[in-house]
Amino acid sequence: PITPGELLCLGSSLAFSGIFYYIYRKKARVVSRIQEAPKLQVDDDLPALVSAAEGRCLPYVALEGIVLPAQAALTSHYHEGLQGVIQKLLLKEHRLIWNSLARCW
């Protein structure tokens, strides 16, 4: 016979597993979209490409190149007096090691 305490533990375990699996799948979809993002060079063709895109927005792209302000630096809409330009981003991938306890890389 199964006790009510065991049923409670089993139910909560299944509920937590379902919640964590849902979060995992949601994040995995975002990661796959980012990995499939097209790589674009910052050049004279970029403004025309953005203008031709739906909604004048490119959802996920990887920009490569040196960025300088065309006329003035970018200004923040949320913090008055805060200015900046797009900065070069360096992505460093670390060596993957198999973790046998967590069963992941």
Side-chain angles (χ1 to χ4, degrees):
I2 299 175
T3 64
E6 291 173 339
L7 284 176
L8 179 66
C9 289
L10 178 64
S12 63
S13 175
L14 289 174
F16 280 122
S17 294
I19 290 169
F20 290 136
Y21 183 72
Y22 170 76
I23 293 170
Y24 165 76
R25 293 299 304 162
K26 188 175 175 183
K27 298 299 179 184
R29 275 185 253 131
V30 171
V31 167
S32 68
R33 285 183 65 192
I34 291 173
Q35 288 177 340
E36 295 170 358
K39 293 183 180 179
L40 302 175
Q41 293 292 326
V42 177
D43 55 8
D44 295 335
D45 298 333
L46 187 60
L49 183 64
V50 172
S51 297
E54 182 180 332
R56 299 187 59 164
C57 178
L58 300 173
Y60 287 108
V61 295
L63 293 177
E64 297 177 342
I66 298 173
V67 179
L68 299 173
Q71 295 177 353
L74 301 172
T75 58
S76 174
H77 295 284
Y78 303 107
H79 300 284
E80 190 173 332
L82 187 62
Q83 296 181 341
V85 294
I86 298 174
Q87 183 180 3
K88 180 180 177 184
L89 176 66
L90 176 65
L91 176 65
K92 181 178 180 183
E93 292 190 30
H94 299 282
R95 183 173 57 120
L96 295 176
I97 299 173
W98 177 254
N99 184 344
S100 61
L101 182 63
R103 294 183 180 255
C104 66
W105 289 98

